[in-house]
Amino acid sequence: MEFAISDNMLGTFVPILVYWLYSGLYVFLGSFDRLENYRLHSRKDEDEKNLVSKATVVKGVLLQQFFQAIVAILLFSVTGSDTGAASQQSSLIVLVRQFIIAMLVMDTWQYFIHRYMHHNKFLYRHIHSLHHRLVAPYAFGALYNHPIEGLLNDTIGGALSFLLSGMSPRTSIFFFSFATIKTVDDHCGLWLPGNLFQVLFKNNTAYHDVHHQLYGSKYNFAQPFFVMWDRILGTYMAYSLEKREGGGFEARPTKEYKDN
């Protein structure tokens, strides 16, 4: 008897699997002493500056992914899409258009939710501050959030991207896996030569690391793809990568910025 997994199930669980595989790759790479000179934060800073244990981070991410999977299953069930609809091949132009729309929708939603959570003192103190317990971010902490933020920012943002782009569950497997890899990369804490995400996207590891520092907490809200909303609305913080004493790099503002 042939066993087949539906696109709905793949679209739900493949991005979760990709999250742990890709972040696990960075954990493996970060264990090499020779890569210490490519870190944005030293291992000591990672252990001492972060205000939450790695075990707690793992539990928090798994909890968010649990709710994420439930919403994805419900969304696919409501839209009624599965392998049958996905079997109709879309042209490359259609797929590119869907990807671009989904990226723009996700960026727009996450920018404004993210920014509001910083400016609303109640929401920051009780919800978003959990993510900023990671002063020295690392890969598998990318989705460490309060469950409410995970639902509002990531899960609903993903659902809107799926619905408004018109992509099929099969296409969503690739889009959300790509978005997951990009989000993990933005938090990896390593500035590796040849990393295409860091070459092709201005919204990259160093860009987001600036946001995790005290001086950048009201800047560089954009995630995970483009920096357009930061530039348009004046929350873009330019930075330079400089050699850190003791090895590695440090992202530093190129000028003084006011506290928005």
Side-chain angles (χ1 to χ4, degrees), residues 169-238:
R170 180 164 298 176
T171 301
S172 79
I173 298 169
F174 299 97
F175 174 74
F176 288 115
S177 294
F178 173 62
T180 296
I181 290 172
K182 179 65 173 61
T183 300
V184 169
D185 209 89
D186 289 347
H187 291 81
C188 72
L190 287 171
W191 191 260
L192 296 176
N195 185 325
L196 290 179
F197 287 116
Q198 295 165 3
V199 172
L200 298 177
F201 289 89
K202 289 190 177 296
N203 192 340
N204 52 38
T205 311
Y207 186 86
H208 192 66
D209 185 78
V210 167
H211 175 72
H212 273 259
Q213 309 313 308
L214 185 60
Y215 57 77
S217 63
K218 295 296 178 66
Y219 294 90
N220 295 9
F221 296 111
Q223 55 184 32
F225 299 111
F226 308 116
V227 301
M228 61 179 185
W229 288 115
D230 277 321
R231 287 194 177 277
I232 292 171
L233 297 177
T235 55
Y236 178 87
M237 178 177 278

Side-chain angles (χ1 to χ4, degrees), residues 19-85:
Y19 181 91
W20 291 108
L21 289 175
Y22 193 62
S23 61
L25 173 63
Y26 270 118
V27 171
F28 174 72
L29 292 174
S31 67
F32 290 96
D33 291 336
R34 69 183 65 180
L35 293 183
E36 190 70 22
N37 287 331
Y38 297 101
R39 283 179 169 269
L40 296 180
H41 299 275
S42 67
R43 292 181 189 176
K44 181 179 179 182
D45 285 346
E46 193 175 287
D47 292 333
E48 295 182 356
K49 289 185 177 181
N50 289 333
L51 306 176
V52 60
S53 70
K54 291 182 178 179
T56 299
V57 168
V58 170
K59 293 176 185 176
V61 172
L62 288 173
L63 179 62
Q64 176 170 329
Q65 290 176 331
F66 172 74
F67 290 120
Q68 175 184 310
I70 291 176
V71 172
I73 291 171
L74 290 174
L75 181 63
F76 287 140
S77 299
V78 169
T79 58
S81 300
D82 207 334
T83 51

Side-chain angles (χ1 to χ4, degrees), residues 87-250:
S87 63
Q88 299 177 358
Q89 293 184 353
S90 298
S91 69
L92 180 60
I93 293 177
V94 170
L95 293 175
V96 170
R97 175 178 58 80
Q98 290 174 340
F99 259 64
I100 292 174
I101 291 173
M103 292 166 78
L104 292 174
V105 170
M106 182 174 286
D107 267 23
T108 300
W109 178 265
Q110 293 199 3
Y111 174 86
F112 287 101
I113 294 294
H114 186 192
R115 182 174 178 178
Y116 185 67
M117 284 191 172
H118 272 270
H119 286 276
N120 184 297
K121 293 182 179 179
F122 177 86
L123 291 177
Y124 183 82
R125 183 181 303 113
H126 296 285
I127 295 178
H128 187 57
S129 62
L130 265 70
H131 184 67
H132 280 270
R133 291 177 181 178
L134 294 176
V135 179
Y138 47 81
F140 65 85
L143 290 183
Y144 175 66
N145 298 305
H146 190 286
I148 292 176
E149 178 177 359
L151 177 64
L152 289 176
N153 200 29
D154 299 304
T155 305
I156 293 181
L160 288 173
S161 299
F162 172 76
L163 292 171
L164 295 179
S165 67
M167 66 176 59
S168 68
R170 180 164 298 176
T171 301
S172 79
I173 298 169
F174 299 97
F175 174 74
F176 288 115
S177 294
F178 173 62
T180 296
I181 290 172
K182 179 65 173 61
T183 300
V184 169
D185 209 89
D186 289 347
H187 291 81
C188 72
L190 287 171
W191 191 260
L192 296 176
N195 185 325
L196 290 179
F197 287 116
Q198 295 165 3
V199 172
L200 298 177
F201 289 89
K202 289 190 177 296
N203 192 340
N204 52 38
T205 311
Y207 186 86
H208 192 66
D209 185 78
V210 167
H211 175 72
H212 273 259
Q213 309 313 308
L214 185 60
Y215 57 77
S217 63
K218 295 296 178 66
Y219 294 90
N220 295 9
F221 296 111
Q223 55 184 32
F225 299 111
F226 308 116
V227 301
M228 61 179 185
W229 288 115
D230 277 321
R231 287 194 177 277
I232 292 171
L233 297 177
T235 55
Y236 178 87
M237 178 177 278
Y239 65 91
S240 61
L241 271 179
E242 302 179 17
K243 288 287 187 178
R244 188 179 65 244
E245 184 178 352
F249 297 100
E250 182 178 358

